[in-house]
PDB file of all heavy atoms in Angstrom:
ATOM      1  N   ALA K   1     111.920  77.150  86.917  1.00  0.00           N
ATOM      2  CA  ALA K   1     111.988  78.217  87.879  1.00  0.00           C
ATOM      3  C   ALA K   1     112.477  79.514  87.258  1.00  0.00           C
ATOM      4  O   ALA K   1     113.204  79.501  86.259  1.00  0.00           O
ATOM      5  CB  ALA K   1     112.891  77.830  89.040  1.00  0.00           C
ATOM      6  N   LYS K   2     112.092  80.642  87.854  1.00  0.00           N
ATOM      7  CA  LYS K   2     112.620  81.914  87.403  1.00  0.00           C
ATOM      8  C   LYS K   2     114.109  81.993  87.718  1.00  0.00           C
ATOM      9  O   LYS K   2     114.559  81.451  88.755  1.00  0.00           O
ATOM     10  CB  LYS K   2     111.906  83.067  88.112  1.00  0.00           C
ATOM     11  CG  LYS K   2     110.416  83.187  87.795  1.00  0.00           C
ATOM     12  CD  LYS K   2     109.761  84.275  88.593  1.00  0.00           C
ATOM     13  CE  LYS K   2     110.245  85.653  88.188  1.00  0.00           C
ATOM     14  NZ  LYS K   2     109.468  86.737  88.858  1.00  0.00           N
ATOM     15  N   PRO K   3     114.898  82.659  86.891  1.00  0.00           N
ATOM     16  CA  PRO K   3     116.313  82.867  87.223  1.00  0.00           C
ATOM     17  C   PRO K   3     116.435  83.528  88.576  1.00  0.00           C
ATOM     18  O   PRO K   3     115.713  84.471  88.906  1.00  0.00           O
ATOM     19  CB  PRO K   3     116.810  83.744  86.074  1.00  0.00           C
ATOM     20  CG  PRO K   3     115.880  83.488  84.938  1.00  0.00           C
ATOM     21  CD  PRO K   3     114.538  83.237  85.580  1.00  0.00           C
ATOM     22  N   ALA K   4     117.385  83.060  89.382  1.00  0.00           N
ATOM     23  CA  ALA K   4     117.592  83.590  90.720  1.00  0.00           C
ATOM     24  C   ALA K   4     118.429  84.854  90.620  1.00  0.00           C
ATOM     25  O   ALA K   4     119.658  84.815  90.770  1.00  0.00           O
ATOM     26  CB  ALA K   4     118.248  82.554  91.609  1.00  0.00           C
ATOM     27  N   LEU K   5     117.753  85.995  90.406  1.00  0.00           N
ATOM     28  CA  LEU K   5     118.432  87.272  90.219  1.00  0.00           C
ATOM     29  C   LEU K   5     117.810  88.310  91.136  1.00  0.00           C
ATOM     30  O   LEU K   5     116.664  88.185  91.543  1.00  0.00           O
ATOM     31  CB  LEU K   5     118.321  87.731  88.763  1.00  0.00           C
ATOM     32  CG  LEU K   5     118.848  86.775  87.689  1.00  0.00           C
ATOM     33  CD1 LEU K   5     118.478  87.264  86.313  1.00  0.00           C
ATOM     34  CD2 LEU K   5     120.358  86.600  87.828  1.00  0.00           C
ATOM     35  N   GLY K   6     118.577  89.348  91.453  1.00  0.00           N
ATOM     36  CA  GLY K   6     118.079  90.375  92.348  1.00  0.00           C
ATOM     37  C   GLY K   6     118.127  89.915  93.788  1.00  0.00           C
ATOM     38  O   GLY K   6     118.882  89.002  94.143  1.00  0.00           O
ATOM     39  N   GLU K   7     117.342  90.565  94.645  1.00  0.00           N
ATOM     40  CA  GLU K   7     117.331  90.189  96.052  1.00  0.00           C
ATOM     41  C   GLU K   7     116.467  88.939  96.233  1.00  0.00           C
ATOM     42  O   GLU K   7     115.241  88.971  96.101  1.00  0.00           O
ATOM     43  CB  GLU K   7     116.794  91.326  96.911  1.00  0.00           C
ATOM     44  CG  GLU K   7     116.911  91.031  98.401  1.00  0.00           C
ATOM     45  CD  GLU K   7     116.451  92.192  99.278  1.00  0.00           C
ATOM     46  OE1 GLU K   7     116.042  93.232  98.726  1.00  0.00           O
ATOM     47  OE2 GLU K   7     116.532  92.044 100.522  1.00  0.00           O
ATOM     48  N   ILE K   8     117.125  87.823  96.558  1.00  0.00           N
ATOM     49  CA  ILE K   8     116.472  86.523  96.589  1.00  0.00           C
ATOM     50  C   ILE K   8     115.458  86.493  97.732  1.00  0.00           C
ATOM     51  O   ILE K   8     115.719  86.919  98.858  1.00  0.00           O
ATOM     52  CB  ILE K   8     117.521  85.401  96.760  1.00  0.00           C
ATOM     53  CG1 ILE K   8     118.577  85.494  95.648  1.00  0.00           C
ATOM     54  CG2 ILE K   8     116.855  84.044  96.746  1.00  0.00           C
ATOM     55  CD1 ILE K   8     118.039  85.440  94.244  1.00  0.00           C
ATOM     56  N   GLY K   9     114.280  85.949  97.425  1.00  0.00           N
ATOM     57  CA  GLY K   9     113.236  85.844  98.428  1.00  0.00           C
ATOM     58  C   GLY K   9     112.455  87.116  98.658  1.00  0.00           C
ATOM     59  O   GLY K   9     111.526  87.112  99.472  1.00  0.00           O
ATOM     60  N   VAL K  10     112.805  88.183  97.941  1.00  0.00           N
ATOM     61  CA  VAL K  10     112.113  89.449  98.119  1.00  0.00           C
ATOM     62  C   VAL K  10     111.591  89.960  96.793  1.00  0.00           C
ATOM     63  O   VAL K  10     110.433  90.305  96.666  1.00  0.00           O
ATOM     64  CB  VAL K  10     113.060  90.497  98.751  1.00  0.00           C
ATOM     65  CG1 VAL K  10     112.365  91.874  98.847  1.00  0.00           C
ATOM     66  CG2 VAL K  10     113.527  90.039 100.122  1.00  0.00           C
ATOM     67  N   GLU K  11     112.445  89.999  95.773  1.00  0.00           N
ATOM     68  CA  GLU K  11     112.062  90.546  94.490  1.00  0.00           C
ATOM     69  C   GLU K  11     111.494  89.448  93.578  1.00  0.00           C
ATOM     70  O   GLU K  11     111.933  88.320  93.600  1.00  0.00           O
ATOM     71  CB  GLU K  11     113.267  91.202  93.801  1.00  0.00           C
ATOM     72  CG  GLU K  11     113.838  92.368  94.591  1.00  0.00           C
ATOM     73  CD  GLU K  11     115.059  92.966  93.912  1.00  0.00           C
ATOM     74  OE1 GLU K  11     115.381  92.570  92.781  1.00  0.00           O
ATOM     75  OE2 GLU K  11     115.712  93.844  94.522  1.00  0.00           O
ATOM     76  N   GLY K  12     110.538  89.831  92.756  1.00  0.00           N
ATOM     77  CA  GLY K  12     110.031  88.935  91.721  1.00  0.00           C
ATOM     78  C   GLY K  12     109.134  87.814  92.193  1.00  0.00           C
ATOM     79  O   GLY K  12     108.882  86.867  91.447  1.00  0.00           O
ATOM     80  N   ILE K  13     108.615  87.872  93.413  1.00  0.00           N
ATOM     81  CA  ILE K  13     107.727  86.829  93.897  1.00  0.00           C
ATOM     82  C   ILE K  13     106.345  86.988  93.262  1.00  0.00           C
ATOM     83  O   ILE K  13     105.756  88.070  93.291  1.00  0.00           O
ATOM     84  CB  ILE K  13     107.607  86.883  95.443  1.00  0.00           C
ATOM     85  CG1 ILE K  13     108.962  86.572  96.062  1.00  0.00           C
ATOM     86  CG2 ILE K  13     106.537  85.907  95.945  1.00  0.00           C
ATOM     87  CD1 ILE K  13     108.976  86.654  97.587  1.00  0.00           C
ATOM     88  N   GLU K  14     105.855  85.916  92.683  1.00  0.00           N
ATOM     89  CA  GLU K  14     104.544  85.916  92.022  1.00  0.00           C
ATOM     90  C   GLU K  14     103.523  85.225  92.915  1.00  0.00           C
ATOM     91  O   GLU K  14     103.790  84.145  93.443  1.00  0.00           O
ATOM     92  CB  GLU K  14     104.652  85.249  90.669  1.00  0.00           C
ATOM     93  CG  GLU K  14     105.642  85.977  89.743  1.00  0.00           C
ATOM     94  CD  GLU K  14     105.757  85.356  88.355  1.00  0.00           C
ATOM     95  OE1 GLU K  14     105.069  84.373  88.068  1.00  0.00           O
ATOM     96  OE2 GLU K  14     106.531  85.900  87.556  1.00  0.00           O
ATOM     97  N   VAL K  15     102.379  85.847  93.078  1.00  0.00           N
ATOM     98  CA  VAL K  15     101.378  85.359  94.038  1.00  0.00           C
ATOM     99  C   VAL K  15     100.111  84.932  93.306  1.00  0.00           C
ATOM    100  O   VAL K  15      99.531  85.715  92.552  1.00  0.00           O
ATOM    101  CB  VAL K  15     101.033  86.458  95.073  1.00  0.00           C
ATOM    102  CG1 VAL K  15      99.997  85.938  96.062  1.00  0.00           C
ATOM    103  CG2 VAL K  15     102.293  86.923  95.793  1.00  0.00           C
ATOM    104  N   GLU K  16      99.688  83.705  93.548  1.00  0.00           N
ATOM    105  CA  GLU K  16      98.450  83.199  92.959  1.00  0.00           C
ATOM    106  C   GLU K  16      97.298  83.534  93.894  1.00  0.00           C
ATOM    107  O   GLU K  16      97.304  83.157  95.065  1.00  0.00           O
ATOM    108  CB  GLU K  16      98.562  81.685  92.773  1.00  0.00           C
ATOM    109  CG  GLU K  16      97.363  81.068  92.076  1.00  0.00           C
ATOM    110  CD  GLU K  16      97.665  79.629  91.650  1.00  0.00           C
ATOM    111  OE1 GLU K  16      97.564  78.726  92.521  1.00  0.00           O
ATOM    112  OE2 GLU K  16      98.003  79.428  90.467  1.00  0.00           O
ATOM    113  N   ARG K  17      96.294  84.220  93.336  1.00  0.00           N
ATOM    114  CA  ARG K  17      95.152  84.658  94.135  1.00  0.00           C
ATOM    115  C   ARG K  17      93.856  84.112  93.550  1.00  0.00           C
ATOM    116  O   ARG K  17      93.821  83.635  92.400  1.00  0.00           O
ATOM    117  CB  ARG K  17      95.117  86.184  94.184  1.00  0.00           C
ATOM    118  CG  ARG K  17      96.369  86.778  94.839  1.00  0.00           C
ATOM    119  CD  ARG K  17      96.406  88.277  94.773  1.00  0.00           C
ATOM    120  NE  ARG K  17      95.345  88.891  95.592  1.00  0.00           N
ATOM    121  CZ  ARG K  17      95.154  90.206  95.683  1.00  0.00           C
ATOM    122  NH1 ARG K  17      95.928  91.047  94.980  1.00  0.00           N
ATOM    123  NH2 ARG K  17      94.183  90.692  96.436  1.00  0.00           N
ATOM    124  N   LEU K  18      92.810  84.185  94.328  1.00  0.00           N
ATOM    125  CA  LEU K  18      91.490  83.818  93.869  1.00  0.00           C
ATOM    126  C   LEU K  18      90.838  85.041  93.217  1.00  0.00           C
ATOM    127  O   LEU K  18      90.783  86.116  93.818  1.00  0.00           O
ATOM    128  CB  LEU K  18      90.628  83.332  95.022  1.00  0.00           C
ATOM    129  CG  LEU K  18      89.209  82.922  94.672  1.00  0.00           C
ATOM    130  CD1 LEU K  18      89.197  81.709  93.739  1.00  0.00           C
ATOM    131  CD2 LEU K  18      88.414  82.606  95.957  1.00  0.00           C
ATOM    132  N   ALA K  19      90.393  84.871  91.973  1.00  0.00           N
ATOM    133  CA  ALA K  19      89.751  85.949  91.239  1.00  0.00           C
ATOM    134  C   ALA K  19      88.368  85.530  90.804  1.00  0.00           C
ATOM    135  O   ALA K  19      88.078  84.328  90.669  1.00  0.00           O
ATOM    136  CB  ALA K  19      90.590  86.344  90.053  1.00  0.00           C
ATOM    137  N   THR K  20      87.476  86.495  90.588  1.00  0.00           N
ATOM    138  CA  THR K  20      86.149  86.217  90.091  1.00  0.00           C
ATOM    139  C   THR K  20      85.792  87.158  88.956  1.00  0.00           C
ATOM    140  O   THR K  20      86.310  88.272  88.849  1.00  0.00           O
ATOM    141  CB  THR K  20      85.090  86.373  91.204  1.00  0.00           C
ATOM    142  OG1 THR K  20      85.107  87.709  91.689  1.00  0.00           O
ATOM    143  CG2 THR K  20      85.319  85.404  92.342  1.00  0.00           C
ATOM    144  N   VAL K  21      84.903  86.688  88.079  1.00  0.00           N
ATOM    145  CA  VAL K  21      84.341  87.479  86.992  1.00  0.00           C
ATOM    146  C   VAL K  21      82.840  87.229  86.972  1.00  0.00           C
ATOM    147  O   VAL K  21      82.409  86.074  87.089  1.00  0.00           O
ATOM    148  CB  VAL K  21      84.975  87.112  85.634  1.00  0.00           C
ATOM    149  CG1 VAL K  21      84.218  87.787  84.487  1.00  0.00           C
ATOM    150  CG2 VAL K  21      86.436  87.547  85.603  1.00  0.00           C
ATOM    151  N   SER K  22      82.061  88.250  86.785  1.00  0.00           N
ATOM    152  CA  SER K  22      80.627  88.093  86.679  1.00  0.00           C
ATOM    153  C   SER K  22      80.268  87.306  85.425  1.00  0.00           C
ATOM    154  O   SER K  22      80.987  87.363  84.417  1.00  0.00           O
ATOM    155  CB  SER K  22      79.938  89.468  86.625  1.00  0.00           C
ATOM    156  OG  SER K  22      78.606  89.358  86.186  1.00  0.00           O
ATOM    157  N   ALA K  23      79.185  86.569  85.447  1.00  0.00           N
ATOM    158  CA  ALA K  23      78.714  85.830  84.282  1.00  0.00           C
ATOM    159  C   ALA K  23      78.413  86.753  83.115  1.00  0.00           C
ATOM    160  O   ALA K  23      78.388  86.324  81.964  1.00  0.00           O
ATOM    161  CB  ALA K  23      77.465  85.026  84.635  1.00  0.00           C
ATOM    162  N   GLN K  24      78.206  88.042  83.385  1.00  0.00           N
ATOM    163  CA  GLN K  24      77.986  89.022  82.314  1.00  0.00           C
ATOM    164  C   GLN K  24      79.304  89.573  81.757  1.00  0.00           C
ATOM    165  O   GLN K  24      79.284  90.314  80.773  1.00  0.00           O
ATOM    166  CB  GLN K  24      77.139  90.195  82.826  1.00  0.00           C
ATOM    167  CG  GLN K  24      75.645  89.891  82.905  1.00  0.00           C
ATOM    168  CD  GLN K  24      75.309  88.886  83.969  1.00  0.00           C
ATOM    169  OE1 GLN K  24      75.733  89.018  85.115  1.00  0.00           O
ATOM    170  NE2 GLN K  24      74.552  87.859  83.604  1.00  0.00           N
ATOM    171  N   GLY K  25      80.420  89.227  82.398  1.00  0.00           N
ATOM    172  CA  GLY K  25      81.715  89.676  81.920  1.00  0.00           C
ATOM    173  C   GLY K  25      82.241  90.865  82.698  1.00  0.00           C
ATOM    174  O   GLY K  25      81.546  91.433  83.577  1.00  0.00           O
ATOM    175  N   GLY K  26      83.477  91.230  82.412  1.00  0.00           N
ATOM    176  CA  GLY K  26      84.110  92.353  83.091  1.00  0.00           C
ATOM    177  C   GLY K  26      85.532  92.010  83.508  1.00  0.00           C
ATOM    178  O   GLY K  26      86.057  90.934  83.190  1.00  0.00           O
ATOM    179  N   SER K  27      86.157  92.913  84.196  1.00  0.00           N
ATOM    180  CA  SER K  27      87.542  92.712  84.645  1.00  0.00           C
ATOM    181  C   SER K  27      87.576  91.758  85.854  1.00  0.00           C
ATOM    182  O   SER K  27      86.650  91.720  86.645  1.00  0.00           O
ATOM    183  CB  SER K  27      88.170  94.038  85.051  1.00  0.00           C
ATOM    184  OG  SER K  27      88.200  94.944  83.954  1.00  0.00           O
ATOM    185  N   PRO K  28      88.641  90.995  85.959  1.00  0.00           N
ATOM    186  CA  PRO K  28      88.764  90.102  87.140  1.00  0.00           C
ATOM    187  C   PRO K  28      88.802  90.886  88.437  1.00  0.00           C
ATOM    188  O   PRO K  28      89.458  91.925  88.500  1.00  0.00           O
ATOM    189  CB  PRO K  28      90.092  89.372  86.883  1.00  0.00           C
ATOM    190  CG  PRO K  28      90.367  89.518  85.431  1.00  0.00           C
ATOM    191  CD  PRO K  28      89.774  90.836  85.012  1.00  0.00           C
ATOM    192  N   GLN K  29      88.117  90.390  89.431  1.00  0.00           N
ATOM    193  CA  GLN K  29      88.149  90.977  90.771  1.00  0.00           C
ATOM    194  C   GLN K  29      88.957  90.060  91.658  1.00  0.00           C
ATOM    195  O   GLN K  29      88.630  88.862  91.787  1.00  0.00           O
ATOM    196  CB  GLN K  29      86.737  91.126  91.310  1.00  0.00           C
ATOM    197  CG  GLN K  29      85.826  91.998  90.457  1.00  0.00           C
ATOM    198  CD  GLN K  29      86.324  93.420  90.343  1.00  0.00           C
ATOM    199  OE1 GLN K  29      86.621  94.074  91.345  1.00  0.00           O
ATOM    200  NE2 GLN K  29      86.471  93.912  89.115  1.00  0.00           N
ATOM    201  N   LEU K  30      90.018  90.559  92.259  1.00  0.00           N
ATOM    202  CA  LEU K  30      90.859  89.756  93.139  1.00  0.00           C
ATOM    203  C   LEU K  30      90.207  89.678  94.518  1.00  0.00           C
ATOM    204  O   LEU K  30      89.989  90.692  95.175  1.00  0.00           O
ATOM    205  CB  LEU K  30      92.238  90.370  93.225  1.00  0.00           C
ATOM    206  CG  LEU K  30      93.020  90.367  91.910  1.00  0.00           C
ATOM    207  CD1 LEU K  30      94.303  91.150  92.045  1.00  0.00           C
ATOM    208  CD2 LEU K  30      93.306  88.938  91.461  1.00  0.00           C
ATOM    209  N   VAL K  31      89.880  88.470  94.915  1.00  0.00           N
ATOM    210  CA  VAL K  31      89.087  88.244  96.128  1.00  0.00           C
ATOM    211  C   VAL K  31      89.959  87.982  97.337  1.00  0.00           C
ATOM    212  O   VAL K  31      89.743  88.511  98.413  1.00  0.00           O
ATOM    213  CB  VAL K  31      88.096  87.059  95.909  1.00  0.00           C
ATOM    214  CG1 VAL K  31      87.429  86.652  97.208  1.00  0.00           C
ATOM    215  CG2 VAL K  31      87.064  87.448  94.848  1.00  0.00           C
ATOM    216  N   SER K  32      90.967  87.147  97.205  1.00  0.00           N
ATOM    217  CA  SER K  32      91.797  86.765  98.343  1.00  0.00           C
ATOM    218  C   SER K  32      92.823  87.842  98.644  1.00  0.00           C
ATOM    219  O   SER K  32      93.146  88.677  97.788  1.00  0.00           O
ATOM    220  CB  SER K  32      92.479  85.442  98.040  1.00  0.00           C
ATOM    221  OG  SER K  32      93.264  85.535  96.854  1.00  0.00           O
ATOM    222  N   PRO K  33      93.375  87.839  99.836  1.00  0.00           N
ATOM    223  CA  PRO K  33      94.330  88.872 100.251  1.00  0.00           C
ATOM    224  C   PRO K  33      95.600  88.826  99.385  1.00  0.00           C
ATOM    225  O   PRO K  33      96.046  87.781  98.937  1.00  0.00           O
ATOM    226  CB  PRO K  33      94.663  88.520 101.709  1.00  0.00           C
ATOM    227  CG  PRO K  33      93.518  87.682 102.169  1.00  0.00           C
ATOM    228  CD  PRO K  33      93.027  86.947 100.969  1.00  0.00           C
ATOM    229  N   ALA K  34      96.218  89.984  99.222  1.00  0.00           N
ATOM    230  CA  ALA K  34      97.417  90.096  98.387  1.00  0.00           C
ATOM    231  C   ALA K  34      98.591  89.309  98.976  1.00  0.00           C
ATOM    232  O   ALA K  34      99.457  88.825  98.255  1.00  0.00           O
ATOM    233  CB  ALA K  34      97.807  91.559  98.226  1.00  0.00           C
ATOM    234  N   GLY K  35      98.597  89.138 100.289  1.00  0.00           N
ATOM    235  CA  GLY K  35      99.704  88.442 100.945  1.00  0.00           C
ATOM    236  C   GLY K  35      99.438  86.990 101.184  1.00  0.00           C
ATOM    237  O   GLY K  35     100.048  86.379 102.085  1.00  0.00           O
ATOM    238  N   SER K  36      98.563  86.387 100.398  1.00  0.00           N
ATOM    239  CA  SER K  36      98.207  84.963 100.601  1.00  0.00           C
ATOM    240  C   SER K  36      98.219  84.250  99.260  1.00  0.00           C
ATOM    241  O   SER K  36      97.609  84.716  98.289  1.00  0.00           O
ATOM    242  CB  SER K  36      96.820  84.844 101.230  1.00  0.00           C
ATOM    243  OG  SER K  36      96.542  83.540 101.629  1.00  0.00           O
ATOM    244  N   TYR K  37      98.922  83.148  99.176  1.00  0.00           N
ATOM    245  CA  TYR K  37      99.029  82.346  97.950  1.00  0.00           C
ATOM    246  C   TYR K  37      97.977  81.235  98.022  1.00  0.00           C
ATOM    247  O   TYR K  37      97.983  80.420  98.945  1.00  0.00           O
ATOM    248  CB  TYR K  37     100.426  81.756  97.842  1.00  0.00           C
ATOM    249  CG  TYR K  37     100.760  81.150  96.514  1.00  0.00           C
ATOM    250  CD1 TYR K  37     101.585  81.811  95.611  1.00  0.00           C
ATOM    251  CD2 TYR K  37     100.255  79.900  96.134  1.00  0.00           C
ATOM    252  CE1 TYR K  37     101.918  81.262  94.378  1.00  0.00           C
ATOM    253  CE2 TYR K  37     100.566  79.367  94.900  1.00  0.00           C
ATOM    254  CZ  TYR K  37     101.393  80.030  94.026  1.00  0.00           C
ATOM    255  OH  TYR K  37     101.705  79.480  92.811  1.00  0.00           O
TER     256      TYR K  37
END
């Protein structure tokens, strides 16, 4: 786990999202909402 520092439950939360990349390549496009893990 990350060290429990700063404002707990607010700061430093990492969110796993669904991303896509074209078969031709390019930057990842974040598909799912930012507030959804």
Side-chain angles (χ1 to χ4, degrees):
K2 295 177 68 173
L5 303 171
E7 187 177 0
I8 305 302
V10 176
E11 298 178 7
I13 295 177
E14 300 182 0
V15 181
E16 184 168 81
R17 299 174 67 181
L18 179 64
T20 60
V21 170
S22 165
Q24 280 69 50
S27 299
Q29 302 298 308
L30 295 173
V31 171
S32 58
S36 189
Y37 192 104

